[in-house]
Amino acid sequence: MELLKKKIREEGEVYEGNILKVDCFLNHQIDIPFLKEVGREFHRLFKDCGVNKILTIEASGIAIASMVAEEFDCPLLFAKKTKTKNIAGDVYTTAVESYTHGTTYTVMVSKRFLGKGDKVLIVDDFLAIGNALNGLITLVNDSGAELAGCGIVIEKGFQGGGDRLRAKGVNLQSLAIVEKMNHETGEISFRE
Amino acid sequence: MELLKKKIREEGEVYEGNILKVDCFLNHQIDIPFLKEVGREFHRLFKDCGVNKILTIEASGIAIASMVAEEFDCPLLFAKKTKTKNIAGDVYTTAVESYTHGTTYTVMVSKRFLGKGDKVLIVDDFLAIGNALNGLITLVNDSGAELAGCGIVIEKGFQGGGDRLRAKGVNLQSLAIVEKMNHETGEISFRE
């Protein structure tokens, strides 16, 4: 998506440790007209997949996924993060390791809102190693729902999570794939 | 908002400890066409207030605030919660006590995205005691931005937070104000 690459080049900031900061338009302050375009682009990419539910994870996936759900005119479900290991009630849970923070958290969705008959499009802002996305895919599989695909705004291609999922046959579409970043020069290269 | 009251009556569940569960349409699974109506209603209520930024707090405020920001065609900023007390960098922070969880957390926004010239509409899903909302108002005041108003989906009127803010002159509008709930009968009464 050319508009996204332009915004990353013009407004993104590269920091040591493979950090790409886009908090001025994507995950702190949110450029809503731009996000509408993101929603439309994901709809274009997945409109023939029978999607009837959008799944994301709190917090920064929610605004994006709201715009996608609007385009699909279907419900949105956001998985919750918790540090509690023993969760009571009718929920699907899985453990996710945070590469950035070096911790493990539990991701959960209520069983009432995910199950057989659902065709799920997972949406998130970033994909790097793929731990969070793998966690969401596990929840979808555990619930008996069908995974229609995964839509990611920015994939860090050099961290390999996306290609590992594609190799497994997941219909994963990223709107921009960063192949190289240099925190000294600020340079960012995208996969063609 | 009659549609909201109807949804609360039909889909909400009342639990002991003043808990009203609406996670089937508002804060876990999200009914996007309904939320569009919520966005339109907040726009109708605040359209003459010069709003140029929507502020909410992660996580369950984000989907609602996205729909409101879409109606106003302005950026959305979501405040982040953290347990870290010492936060470096150019951020406004304030401490918020969680009535539900009995803990205190820090709420923060980047100074780059809030300041003089901003007319802010704060949006959230619930208002009870008012601690989170008071925290967001503090951030707006500290930044030098102007508070245009607060838009709440469900206010628990009997917990008093909303009336305390109205008494201080805050332009607070709630789409439904619950005056009484009974977890034994499931009965819910709204303020007229």
Side-chain angles (χ1 to χ4, degrees):
Chain A
M1 191 184 179
E2 285 311 314
L3 176 61
L4 171 62
K5 291 181 191 168
K6 187 168 176 280
K7 277 186 93 76
I8 295 172
R9 281 206 185 92
E10 288 174 2
E11 301 174 38
E13 294 162 274
V14 183
Y15 292 93
E16 217 172 337
N18 291 331
I19 293 166
L20 173 60
K21 215 171 165 181
V22 286
D23 63 354
C24 54
F25 69 90
L26 192 64
N27 47 23
H28 182 26
Q29 178 169 258
I30 295 165
D31 180 338
I32 292 286
F34 166 70
L35 226 60
K36 284 290 295 175
E37 292 299 320
V38 166
R40 283 190 200 109
E41 181 65 8
F42 280 130
H43 185 257
R44 191 183 68 78
L45 291 167
F46 293 101
K47 67 178 184 300
D48 301 322
C49 302
V51 173
N52 66 1
K53 194 157 280 188
I54 309 297
L55 175 66
T56 190
I57 184 165
E58 64 177 10
S60 48
I62 298 175
I64 302 157
S66 296
M67 296 298 155
V68 178
E70 206 184 327
E71 293 297 321
F72 280 92
D73 203 23
C74 76
L76 160 67
L77 179 64
F78 70 86
K80 303 194 176 196
K81 291 177 188 172
T82 167
K83 277 181 183 156
T84 315
K85 273 183 192 163
N86 299 309
I87 291 163
D90 288 335
V91 290
Y92 296 109
T93 66
T94 188
V96 170
E97 214 178 303
S98 168
Y99 174 78
T100 322
H101 302 103
T103 53
T104 297
Y105 57 93
T106 298
V107 173
M108 59 176 235
V109 295
S110 169
K111 287 186 181 176
R112 288 186 296 155
F113 306 134
L114 199 63
K116 226 179 150 181
D118 284 328
K119 280 202 91 172
V120 181
L121 173 60
I122 298 175
V123 170
D124 209 356
D125 57 341
F126 269 98
L127 168 61
I129 301 289
N131 289 352
L133 187 53
N134 279 305
L136 292 175
I137 292 172
T138 300
L139 295 180
V140 171
N141 291 338
D142 288 354
S143 76
E146 198 182 323
L147 181 66
C150 301
I152 299 295
V153 181
I154 303 175
E155 178 181 337
K156 289 172 176 168
F158 56 87
Q159 289 186 276
D163 291 332
R164 280 190 289 276
L165 282 164
R166 288 184 189 96
K168 283 186 196 166
V170 172
N171 180 11
L172 168 67
Q173 306 278 351
S174 299
L175 303 189
I177 304 179
V178 176
E179 278 306 3
K180 260 198 283 189
M181 309 192 299
N182 185 325
H183 70 269
E184 279 163 357
T185 63
E187 222 171 316
I188 300 169
S189 315
F190 296 101
R191 188 183 293 183
E192 287 311 313
Chain B
M1 191 183 181
E2 286 310 314
L3 176 61
L4 170 62
K5 290 181 192 167
K6 188 168 177 277
K7 276 186 94 75
I8 294 172
R9 280 206 186 90
E10 289 175 2
E11 302 173 39
E13 294 161 275
V14 183
Y15 292 94
E16 216 172 336
N18 291 329
I19 293 167
L20 174 60
K21 215 171 166 183
V22 287
D23 63 353
C24 53
F25 69 91
L26 193 63
N27 46 24
H28 181 27
Q29 177 168 259
I30 295 166
D31 179 338
I32 291 285
F34 166 70
L35 226 60
K36 284 290 295 175
E37 293 299 320
V38 166
R40 282 190 200 109
E41 181 65 8
F42 281 131
H43 184 257
R44 191 183 68 77
L45 291 167
F46 293 102
K47 67 178 184 300
D48 301 322
C49 301
V51 174
N52 67 2
K53 194 158 280 186
I54 309 297
L55 174 67
T56 189
I57 184 165
E58 63 179 11
S60 48
I62 298 176
I64 302 157
S66 296
M67 296 297 154
V68 178
E70 204 184 329
E71 292 297 320
F72 280 90
D73 202 24
C74 75
L76 161 67
L77 179 64
F78 70 86
K80 303 193 175 194
K81 291 177 188 171
T82 166
K83 279 186 180 151
T84 315
K85 273 181 193 164
N86 299 308
I87 291 161
D90 288 334
V91 290
Y92 296 109
T93 66
T94 189
V96 170
E97 215 178 301
S98 168
Y99 173 78
T100 321
H101 301 103
T103 53
T104 297
Y105 57 93
T106 298
V107 174
M108 59 176 234
V109 294
S110 169
K111 288 186 180 175
R112 289 186 296 154
F113 306 135
L114 199 62
K116 229 180 148 183
D118 284 328
K119 279 202 91 171
V120 180
L121 173 60
I122 298 175
V123 171
D124 210 357
D125 56 341
F126 269 98
L127 168 61
I129 301 289
N131 290 351
L133 187 53
N134 279 304
L136 292 175
I137 293 172
T138 301
L139 295 180
V140 170
N141 291 337
D142 288 354
S143 76
E146 200 182 322
L147 181 67
C150 302
I152 299 295
V153 181
I154 303 175
E155 177 180 338
K156 289 173 178 167
F158 56 87
Q159 289 186 275
D163 290 332
R164 281 190 289 277
L165 283 165
R166 289 185 189 95
K168 285 186 194 166
V170 171
N171 181 10
L172 168 67
Q173 307 279 350
S174 299
L175 303 189
I177 304 179
V178 176
E179 278 306 5
K180 260 197 282 187
M181 308 192 302
N182 186 325
H183 71 269
E184 279 162 358
T185 62
E187 222 172 315
I188 300 169
S189 315
F190 296 100
R191 188 183 293 183
E192 285 311 310

